[in-house]
Amino acid sequence: MPWLRRMPVSENQNFQGETNMTEPVRVRYAPSPTGLPHVGNIRTAFFNWLFARHNNGTFIVRIEDTDVARTVPGALEGILEGLEWLGIDWDEGPRAGGDFGPYFQSQRLDIYNKMAKELVERGFAYYCHCSSERLEKMRAEQTANKKPPGYDRCCRDLGLGGAPGAVIRYKTPLEAKTTFHDLIRGDVTFENATLDDFVLMKSDGYPTYHLANVIDDHLMKISHVLRAEEWLSSTPRHLMLYNAFGFKPPIFAHLPIILGSDRSKLSKRHGAVSILEYKEQGYLPEAMMNFLALLGWSFDDKTETFSKEELIKHFSIERISQTSAIFNKEKLDWMDGTYIRKLSPHEFAERAMPFLEKGLPPEVKRPLDISYVKKVLPLVHERAKTLGELASKELTWFFFIDKLDYPAELLIDKKLDRKATAAMLDVALVRLDELSAFDADTLESVLRPLSDEIGVKAGQLFGTVRTAITGLTATPPLFQTMEVLGQNTCMKRIKEAITKLKENAG
RNA sequence: GCCCCCAUCGUCUAGUGGCCUAGGACAGCGGCCUUUCAAGCCGUCAACAGGGAUUCGAAUUCCCUUGGGGGCACCA
């Protein structure tokens, strides 16, 4: 009975990940509320969720709030908001409850305390009275002498008792190896001698991640631990703890890390790293989900588009890549564009509205005129990569603002001069004034022949009118744009353009 | 410095000894369409890090080198 073992093990430990499918799949996402929900973290949560859903298992959110100093107010809410935005729901955890709670580690302190003490009593751990100053100095010397930094085991055999300021350390076996089977990386072996006596309980009475995560994963009956690769090197420590406690370890799978464009771990300087930033920028959650799924996982040699249901259906750990992946924002943009284009006009309007309300200049009257917006939106639907950029100068401002701001030169075609341009607009103005209908077809039937009449190419005339009407050279189709803008606005803007040309003529 | 992981187009990847003169996608480039911009369609550029070994045969197996990443806290 391993539970009764009194001395640290010294024989080689082998932990083969038995895929015992008779046990229910229970996986967890265990964020620490120390900052915004990083896309890398969320991707880990997402893969856990996919694995749970694929196997009809349970997805648990557990909050690892054991670092009092680093806890950030609002971080927890942000993390949950990020999950909810993507449509990742959890069966147990904050707000959801469950039979294995509490799901906040800060509320489980007595458990960790009791179990850590038990480890001390049974000879697997010991109290350490070393001050942080001493440890810092020790580390500095080790680094200076190019030695691997690590606790020098000063208190290991002193048989010290608990005291204020003391910590509990694990008595790492000095010999032998720890081997385990990782579902993504195969067998991984560490020499125990390369591991130091790590801290289990901090002096403030909180457990370290190593202790708390092992105890909770066991108590919460976690079957598989899918976590980022940065945890790979602390897995042997966890295994030693499972062994010391006599717990059966879960099956491990260490996910590839997401990198920034310079191949280092994705961080702030690479741009947006919080999933909520993407929400605010108007990316579609379903596109984000699809994109994230393909960062480190693939289905076959050609499928790029997956609905949530398809992802759940096809997801498997075997198809997770072993290689870290660079976050390719260009591809995200493309994918988001494809999802936007698939939206029905109604749904597009529905989802775009909040972004227009937020992003259009303040002088535009709120609330926006919905029926007008619904006329504008189809013209920009296939041009937007995100909902957020819908409310940009380039895409929609000119539909809503009163006064256009652009240089007169923009009106003038390369092969024409200022005078000819003004003359062209003069004629156009007259023709448009005569119109009783102002729809795209009518407009084309009037303006297209006009170019012949004036002796310019259609594109030259249209280009100048386009700029006069929108202040831009790249816009949705001219006649449809004019139809939406209406006769009055178009006439007014052409007049303003003519004035602009004549004013600066000298 | 020590430990661990990884290595196919610029990027995400397919590829589990012969189907590979290496496939797809994004980006790039060229073209078509066209009133501009998009979208769409067609085409094109572009990779098995290097060296050994195993084998009739290696992107696929093994070893070494190199390169990249991660870890080495009273942080998670």
Side-chain angles (χ1 to χ4, degrees):
Chain A
M1 235 161 129
W3 184 259
L4 297 176
R5 186 152 29 196
R6 310 248 354 145
M7 286 302 293
V9 286
S10 61
E11 69 268 31
N12 291 350
Q13 290 298 322
N14 259 271
F15 301 91
Q16 293 301 321
E18 315 120 75
T19 317
N20 186 352
M21 278 311 170
T22 57
E23 274 178 47
V25 166
R26 288 175 57 83
V27 292
R28 52 36 170 210
Y29 170 52
S32 132
T34 52
L36 292 165
H38 190 280
V39 289
N41 276 316
I42 294 292
R43 203 275 312 252
T44 299
F46 178 40
F47 278 20
N48 272 280
W49 177 84
L50 283 173
F51 184 68
R53 293 291 172 262
H54 177 85
N55 292 294
N56 287 315
T58 305
F59 178 61
I60 297 147
V61 173
R62 181 177 71 221
I63 306 302
E64 312 230 323
D65 51 351
T66 55
D67 186 339
V68 184
R70 288 203 314 150
T71 296
V72 173
L76 170 64
E77 289 70 24
I79 289 163
L80 299 181
E81 184 188 344
L83 294 176
E84 279 166 349
W85 176 62
L86 282 173
I88 297 174
D89 55 341
W90 55 100
D91 308 302
E92 296 175 26
R95 297 177 192 164
D99 297 336
F100 297 83
Y103 294 91
F104 288 81
Q105 292 188 326
S106 60
Q107 295 168 24
R108 305 169 63 83
L109 263 25
D110 47 338
I111 303 176
Y112 311 127
N113 248 295
K114 180 172 153 276
M115 298 193 74
K117 279 188 185 131
E118 209 169 276
L119 243 31
V120 174
E121 283 159 20
R122 290 174 42 238
F124 285 99
Y126 60 92
Y127 284 99
C128 167
H129 290 7
C130 292
S131 67
S132 2
E133 291 73 40
R134 191 186 96 77
L135 295 175
E136 248 169 68
K137 198 174 153 230
M138 174 196 74
R139 254 194 303 277
E141 280 169 14
Q142 285 165 338
T143 314
N145 296 327
K146 308 218 169 199
K147 295 279 184 194
Y151 181 55
D152 60 4
R153 304 191 158 106
C154 170
C155 299
R156 182 175 169 113
D157 299 309
L158 266 33
L160 266 18
V167 303
I168 296 179
R169 286 181 185 275
Y170 185 70
K171 197 181 278 185
T172 303
L174 272 10
E175 291 153 3
K177 304 171 178 185
T178 299
T179 297
F180 64 97
H181 185 77
D182 185 282
L183 249 27
I184 294 172
R185 282 150 222 291
D187 289 344
V188 182
T189 301
F190 287 80
E191 293 280 349
N192 293 162
T194 63
L195 273 23
D196 72 348
D197 290 359
F198 54 99
V199 172
L200 262 22
M201 287 296 294
K202 300 183 268 187
S203 58
D204 62 1
Y206 280 75
T208 59
Y209 170 85
H210 302 304
L211 209 226
N213 122 285
V214 165
I215 291 177
D216 286 347
D217 283 348
H218 173 258
L219 259 22
M220 296 181 181
K221 293 195 173 5
I222 299 302
S223 62
H224 297 72
V225 170
L226 318 197
R227 57 177 17 165
E229 196 195 332
E230 61 213 62
W231 293 109
L232 193 62
S233 41
S234 42
T235 304
R237 299 179 221 279
H238 304 157
L239 257 3
M240 291 188 296
L241 286 176
Y242 279 103
N243 183 252
F245 282 125
F247 298 159
K248 182 187 169 202
I251 296 166
F252 290 97
H254 287 91
L255 271 24
I257 289 185
I258 298 180
L259 307 175
S261 44
D262 62 353
R263 296 215 144 270
S264 67
K265 216 165 143 186
L266 191 65
S267 72
K268 282 240 168 65
R269 65 202 160 79
H270 296 113
V273 291
S274 164
I275 193 78
L276 297 178
E277 291 177 73
Y278 291 92
K279 178 186 179 189
E280 278 153 28
Q281 286 174 29
Y283 286 87
L284 265 29
E286 57 269 42
M288 194 68 192
M289 178 176 266
N290 193 155
F291 174 74
L292 249 23
L294 260 17
L295 265 190
W297 176 86
S298 65
F299 175 60
D300 61 13
D301 59 342
K302 38 181 71 76
T303 316
E304 300 280 340
T305 307
F306 297 89
S307 67
K308 187 194 286 191
E309 292 69 30
E310 288 167 335
L311 287 172
I312 290 171
K313 183 178 163 201
H314 296 310
F315 185 79
S316 75
I317 292 182
E318 292 71 57
R319 297 203 60 88
I320 294 178
S321 152
Q322 306 177 48
T323 325
S324 44
I326 292 175
F327 190 91
N328 186 188
K329 187 169 172 298
E330 286 70 39
K331 187 154 182 177
L332 203 214
D333 286 344
W334 163 78
M335 187 163 276
D336 203 60
T338 67
Y339 272 84
I340 285 182
R341 273 172 251 129
K342 276 189 290 192
L343 258 24
S344 71
H346 174 74
E347 199 180 352
F348 179 54
E350 199 97 311
R351 297 174 72 164
M353 199 53 124
F355 288 92
L356 289 175
E357 291 280 5
K358 195 173 73 183
L360 253 17
E363 66 263 29
V364 177
K365 196 176 120 241
R366 304 297 203 291
L368 299 170
D369 176 348
I370 295 177
S371 65
Y372 181 65
V373 168
K374 283 195 167 177
K375 282 192 268 180
V376 171
L377 252 18
L379 300 189
V380 292
H381 194 156
E382 69 180 24
R383 289 170 172 74
K385 292 220 182 327
T386 65
L387 295 176
E389 78 177 20
L390 238 30
S392 66
K393 251 185 170 120
E394 291 72 30
L395 250 29
T396 57
W397 280 23
F398 62 85
F399 280 113
F400 296 93
I401 59 176
D402 201 43
K403 184 111 180 72
L404 262 24
D405 180 30
Y406 62 93
E409 285 65 36
L410 213 57
L411 290 160
I412 305 167
D413 183 88
K414 281 194 291 283
K415 291 181 179 158
L416 297 174
D417 60 14
R418 185 177 285 264
K419 211 176 149 191
T421 303
M424 203 158 71
L425 287 176
D426 278 330
V427 185
L429 191 60
V430 174
R431 297 296 160 87
L432 294 178
D433 192 31
E434 293 162 354
L435 292 179
S436 54
F438 209 75
D439 58 277
D441 287 347
T442 307
L443 287 164
E444 180 158 14
S445 71
V446 171
L447 291 179
R448 197 172 284 282
L450 183 60
S451 61
D452 276 341
E453 209 178 298
I454 303 175
V456 296
K457 290 202 170 132
Q460 293 178 299
L461 173 63
F462 297 169
T464 296
V465 175
R466 180 191 314 283
T467 303
I469 299 287
T470 65
L472 302 169
T473 53
T475 75
L478 179 60
F479 308 121
Q480 295 175 48
T481 301
M482 291 175 74
E483 176 181 331
V484 170
L485 245 15
Q487 192 164 18
N488 288 343
T489 304
C490 290
M491 304 273 296
K492 185 178 129 244
R493 288 185 178 176
I494 291 174
K495 281 179 201 159
E496 284 164 0
I498 294 168
T499 309
K500 213 180 257 263
L501 286 164
K502 290 184 176 162
E503 263 177 5
N504 300 317

